[in-house]
Amino acid sequence: MYKYVGIFMVAFAVLIFVFLGSVDGFSTSHQVCTYDATKMCKPALATAAFSTISFLLGAVTSVVSGFLGMKIATYANARTTLEARKGVGKAFIVAFRSGAVMGFLLAANGLVVLYITINLFKLYYGDDWGGLFEAITGYGLGGSSMALFGRVGGGIYTKAADVGADLVGKVERNIPEDDPRNPAVIADNVGDNVGDIAGMGSDLFGSYAESSCAALVVASISSFGINHEFTAMLYPLIISAVGILVCLITTLFATDFFEIKAVKEIEPALKKQLVISTVLMTVGIAVVSWVALPASFTIFNFGTQKDQLFLCVAVGLWAGLIIGFVTEYYTSNAYSPVQDVADSCRTGAATNVIFGLALGYKSVIIPIFAIAISIFVSFSFAAMYGIAVAALGMLSTIATGLAIDAYGPISDNAGGIAEMAGMSHRIRERTDALDAAGNTTAAIGKGFAIGSAALVSLALFGAFVSRASITTVDVLTPKVFIGLIVGAMLPYWFSAMTMKSVGSAALKMVEEVRRQFNTIPGLMEGTAKPDYATCVKISTDASIKEMIPPGALVMLTPLIVGIFFGVETLSGVLAGSLVSGVQIAISASNTGGAWDNAKKYIERSLGPKGSDPHKAAVIGDTIGDPLKDTSGPSLNILIKLMAVESLVFAPFFATHGGLLFKI
């Protein structure tokens, strides 16, 4: 998997260098600054070279973060199973701490590499901060392009295995989940790590790198950059640094200050994490804004500001919390929406699907209002810079968010290990309780990722518009409108690709699992071992082969549109894909999460496994799997990646783009 990603990295790095170098015809002489015609700036060739370096750095950091996350998770899940013998509280602490390790690792990695890169680039660029931070945008592009492969490839891998294992094992053969007789069980457990941990990690890392880049680009052409105020310039990084400290304190609340004794305390403890980190962070931002920012400053194309940046960050932070809680309301089986879906399973799978879809569409309403309000507030205080720091505010508690999120797949795998090792029924019940809480928190994590993706994408869009020197994006011009309508179509095209990939991979998997059950004598009785390796191979091959078309769609669209139709049409495409992608992403991941928890609710309270309502619920859950773990989460990368790619290539599109309209 990483081999193919490596090939792509090198190829794309060359592409960046060639495109950006050709802006000025590969000349090494100094050029007039983009935003200040009185000064001379470093040549375009330098920006090309440094953008390429930062692209590779971002990509490598992203891959390393995902890889380390998987390492930690595989160590943690067996330990969680063992701790579950002592009780649910002990198991929770192990699962949560390992999630926290991953969260801090990622947040710190992203911050430290970015900070070092900025300081090293400064040695060359000196006072030309516009060029310096333009070159830094490559970092966000690298981070996100790797996240795309982690998310899409990982999502296809895990869901092919999951759907195959569930359909044959649970529905046809009536054996429990994670039963060692099921040939797809190993692939399913590996898949949880690949999709949920490596994918989620590199996804949030990408968001984080991009929002930092967007904020830095806008700041470098505002008074911070022009007056060379280094502390104020690095305000975005300082926010993240405070976030890491705040999350350190917050995690102690879950593991050390209060002990968890009963199952029903798990979910509240995880939710408290979000609230505590948000409250502490608000205080932290207030202090930092007071210390780091000058009394008044100007934002590019926007005029003078008093220090209201605190409000922009805070608004993003609290919007994130609201989105998290709304997601939880719609996907947790403690509330009426999921219970209604579970209830509808009594009349079969069709009503279950109808109720689930309705729930997903309905769950979009409040998050969109939250995003809209935070955009309005932060824009009216500090224009595009405000939106960029609002996105950073939402992501500032990333360490806690990731801890809560990685906790899910770890406890899920712990349950799988307990089942496969034939441990007592009591242990399986405890890991299931941990896992049910983990499902909801995973949905909260996805909500965060989608909300921040929307803000990040908008901030990048703003940076792109100012970099490509477009003054207004006018919807009434046909150039822009065709971009809008095509951009709004892209998330559907992308989802179609990812869904179909999961479907066709799952088909192969189902056939293989059926073949093994029918041809290996003694498999059902448990006397013979299934051939796990074949199933793992099916998943691996499918994920590598099938992640190329969706990846190509996302990476090539901005290039093709920018080169042939120019920056106006491209700005339309970006706006369109942002507007439609967010809606599909939220509804897809909430529908899937609700179906999953409706199934768990039925298992716990309504009917036994194997009853008709339960079978209907399993079908809903199986449909929801690719929605919540492949299409939904990959969409937020589609939105961000197209925007950050357009920003990196903006100088090229502005000088050489729009070939069709020049004819």
Side-chain angles (χ1 to χ4, degrees):
M1 160 97 177
Y2 285 129
K3 185 177 77 184
Y4 294 93
V5 169
I7 297 170
F8 160 80
M9 253 159 63
V10 176
F12 206 74
V14 173
L15 193 72
I16 294 177
F17 184 73
V18 171
F19 273 29
L20 290 180
S22 66
V23 170
D24 211 14
F26 291 104
S27 85
T28 49
S29 56
H30 285 221
Q31 54 178 13
V32 176
C33 290
T34 321
Y35 301 104
D36 182 359
T38 57
K39 292 201 186 93
M40 292 303 278
C41 283
K42 299 291 183 206
L45 196 61
T47 304
F50 282 107
S51 292
T52 312
I53 295 170
S54 59
F55 166 75
L56 290 171
L57 276 171
V60 170
T61 313
S62 180
V63 169
V64 167
S65 304
F67 180 73
L68 290 173
M70 288 204 294
K71 267 265 182 280
I72 294 163
T74 42
Y75 283 132
N77 47 32
R79 292 178 186 182
T80 307
T81 317
L82 289 176
E83 289 290 313
R85 293 185 303 188
K86 301 177 194 162
V88 87
K90 290 269 190 278
F92 170 79
I93 289 181
V94 172
F96 184 78
R97 276 191 183 150
S98 26
V101 172
M102 183 196 158
F104 288 117
L105 213 144
L106 222 128
N109 256 350
L111 189 61
V112 101
V113 177
L114 187 57
Y115 182 69
I116 293 172
T117 314
I118 290 175
N119 279 315
L120 289 178
F121 283 14
K122 226 172 87 186
L123 299 177
Y124 171 79
Y125 277 102
D127 280 351
D128 172 15
W129 284 17
L132 164 65
F133 289 105
E134 197 175 295
I136 291 283
T137 50
Y139 185 73
L141 177 61
S144 245
S145 55
M146 292 305 106
L148 175 77
F149 294 116
R151 264 297 196 206
V152 177
I156 293 168
Y157 186 108
T158 167
K159 288 306 121 182
D162 198 357
V163 171
D166 283 2
L167 282 181
V168 184
K170 284 195 224 166
V171 178
E172 291 175 13
R173 297 277 166 166
N174 268 337
I175 57 178
E177 189 170 0
D178 293 326
D179 190 297
R181 291 173 293 180
N182 192 333
V185 69
I186 298 278
D188 183 10
N189 278 333
V190 173
D192 286 334
N193 284 328
V194 180
D196 283 350
I197 292 195
M200 184 70 185
S202 48
D203 178 4
L204 279 177
F205 168 76
S207 277
Y208 166 80
E210 280 160 347
S211 52
S212 306
C213 292
L216 291 169
V217 168
V218 181
S220 69
I221 50 181
S222 307
S223 65
F224 302 146
I226 295 163
N227 307 338
H228 297 304
E229 295 158 343
F230 197 58
T231 311
M233 185 64 227
L234 291 189
Y235 181 65
L237 279 83
I238 299 172
I239 296 175
S240 316
V242 173
I244 295 179
L245 291 176
V246 164
C247 293
L248 259 177
I249 300 168
T250 312
T251 34
L252 295 177
F253 280 95
T255 53
D256 295 76
F257 298 158
F258 303 108
E259 205 172 322
I260 286 181
K261 302 212 170 48
V263 170
K264 58 178 187 296
E265 294 171 18
I266 299 172
E267 231 173 281
L270 290 170
K271 284 194 303 204
K272 270 186 213 133
Q273 286 288 296
L274 286 177
V275 179
I276 294 169
S277 64
T278 306
V279 172
L280 290 177
M281 192 63 207
T282 313
V283 180
I285 298 167
V287 174
V288 169
S289 308
W290 187 64
V291 173
L293 294 174
S296 74
F297 46 87
T298 55
I299 299 287
F300 180 69
N301 272 353
F302 192 71
T304 307
Q305 276 319 109
K306 292 281 175 287
D307 45 351
Q308 285 141 339
L309 276 185
F310 161 66
L311 290 167
C312 301
V313 187
V315 118
L317 185 63
W318 286 91
L321 187 69
I322 291 168
I323 293 174
F325 276 134
V326 170
T327 313
E328 198 239 354
Y329 172 71
Y330 279 107
T331 55
S332 163
N333 49 27
Y335 303 102
S336 58
V338 171
Q339 291 169 1
D340 290 347
V341 172
D343 193 47
S344 71
C345 290
R346 285 177 314 173
T347 47
T351 40
N352 177 25
V353 171
I354 294 169
F355 269 74
L357 286 172
L359 176 144
Y361 296 145
K362 201 171 150 197
S363 70
V364 173
I365 303 168
I366 302 173
I368 291 295
F369 275 118
I371 293 172
I373 291 167
S374 56
I375 287 171
F376 183 77
V377 171
S378 50
F379 192 92
S380 37
F381 282 137
M384 278 304 169
Y385 188 63
I387 292 173
V389 290
L392 269 170
M394 198 178 275
L395 287 167
S396 59
T397 52
I398 179 175
T400 297
L402 264 172
I404 291 177
D405 198 82
Y407 156 85
I410 289 173
S411 39
D412 188 354
N413 271 350
I417 292 172
E419 181 75 52
M420 286 196 291
M423 293 167 95
S424 75
H425 189 63
R426 237 182 34 246
I427 295 183
R428 180 72 218 213
E429 272 176 7
R430 285 172 187 162
T431 54
D432 273 353
L434 289 174
D435 184 25
N439 257 346
T440 307
T441 55
I444 295 178
K446 289 184 184 112
F448 260 99
I450 295 166
S452 64
L455 289 177
V456 169
S457 174
L458 188 63
L460 289 165
F461 178 65
F464 162 73
V465 170
S466 61
R467 181 61 192 88
S469 27
I470 311 170
T471 40
T472 50
V473 180
D474 184 3
V475 184
L476 293 177
T477 53
K479 270 191 204 179
V480 176
F481 193 79
I482 56 167
L484 266 178
I485 203 158
V486 171
M489 174 274 300
L490 288 173
Y492 289 92
W493 189 0
F494 183 80
S495 299
M497 284 178 171
T498 49
M499 294 289 283
K500 196 157 183 287
S501 302
V502 173
S504 58
L507 196 71
K508 287 195 193 103
M509 186 69 79
V510 167
E511 283 166 358
E512 172 61 26
V513 175
R514 273 185 194 151
R515 183 194 70 75
Q516 292 197 24
F517 273 125
N518 295 333
T519 57
I520 299 178
L523 185 55
M524 274 306 282
E525 294 73 42
T527 50
K529 271 199 161 176
D531 175 9
Y532 298 123
T534 316
C535 291
V536 175
K537 189 168 170 19
I538 290 178
S539 260
T540 314
D541 293 351
S543 67
I544 288 171
K545 195 173 103 250
E546 302 278 3
M547 75 185 175
I548 297 166
L553 174 72
V554 181
M555 301 301 282
L556 294 178
T557 304
L559 293 177
I560 293 169
V561 174
I563 293 168
F564 293 113
F565 299 93
V567 281
E568 283 93 349
T569 311
L570 182 53
S571 61
V573 169
L574 294 179
S577 66
L578 166 64
V579 166
S580 87
V582 173
Q583 331 284 339
I584 307 177
I586 296 177
S587 64
S589 50
N590 288 352
T591 297
W595 275 327
D596 195 347
N597 276 342
K599 178 198 71 177
K600 286 207 162 65
Y601 180 72
I602 288 178
E603 286 170 5
R604 282 225 309 265
S605 55
L606 292 179
K609 294 186 179 185
S611 62
D612 281 342
H614 183 255
K615 279 193 172 160
V618 170
I619 292 174
D621 176 33
T622 314
I623 301 172
D625 270 339
L627 281 173
K628 78 172 191 307
D629 287 324
T630 314
S631 292
S634 311
L635 277 174
N636 52 41
I637 298 179
L638 166 118
I639 305 166
K640 298 179 312 205
L641 192 53
M642 283 176 45
V644 74
E645 193 182 339
S646 309
L647 173 61
V648 172
F649 288 114
F652 177 77
F653 296 152
T655 43
H656 301 301
L659 297 180
L660 289 183
F661 296 130
K662 285 178 182 168
I663 297 167

